[in-house]
Amino acid sequence: MSRKRCQITFAASAVRDLSGIREWYAEQHVPEVGERLLGEVMSQVERLADFPDSGRMVPEFGVAHLREIIHPPFRIVYRRDDLWVRIVRVWRSERLLKLL
């Protein structure tokens, strides 16, 4: 029996985070590093379609539907539902998560 793949969506906050990462590395005159890291982040995100529970619960909240993957130097924070994964934030690993 095959398992259905989850649909991946991005919150506006995550899109801003990814854009900010690209801009920061460009400002540091190493845009190729930023592009490589963004590619790695997207590979991690794509994997969630098949393995949505592979991330751990976010320690700051301790709720099962809010999970994260640590891919140094980033935390990829996502909300898990039965049929979808919504990427909420992509932050530096050392930052504590705060939701508005």
Side-chain angles (χ1 to χ4, degrees), residues 2-82:
S2 68
R3 185 174 29 158
K4 185 172 178 155
R5 289 177 53 108
C6 287
Q7 179 181 357
I8 305 289
T9 63
F10 288 81
S13 54
V15 173
R16 284 191 302 272
D17 291 341
L18 293 169
S19 179
I21 291 166
R22 175 177 276 128
E23 289 173 15
W24 189 85
Y25 283 97
E27 289 169 1
Q28 303 307 307
H29 306 290
V30 287
E32 65 283 355
V33 173
E35 294 302 320
R36 178 180 54 80
L37 288 171
L38 287 177
E40 292 172 6
V41 165
M42 294 309 294
S43 290
Q44 294 293 318
V45 167
E46 289 170 5
R47 185 173 58 92
L48 291 173
D50 291 316
F51 304 103
D53 294 319
S54 61
R56 69 177 187 174
M57 283 193 299
V58 176
E60 293 93 318
F61 295 95
V63 293
H65 66 274
L66 192 60
R67 305 183 76 80
E68 70 181 351
I69 295 173
I70 304 297
H71 184 76
F74 301 110
R75 297 172 77 178
I76 305 163
V77 181
Y78 64 97
R79 185 179 172 99
R80 166 79 163 98
D81 199 345
D82 288 337

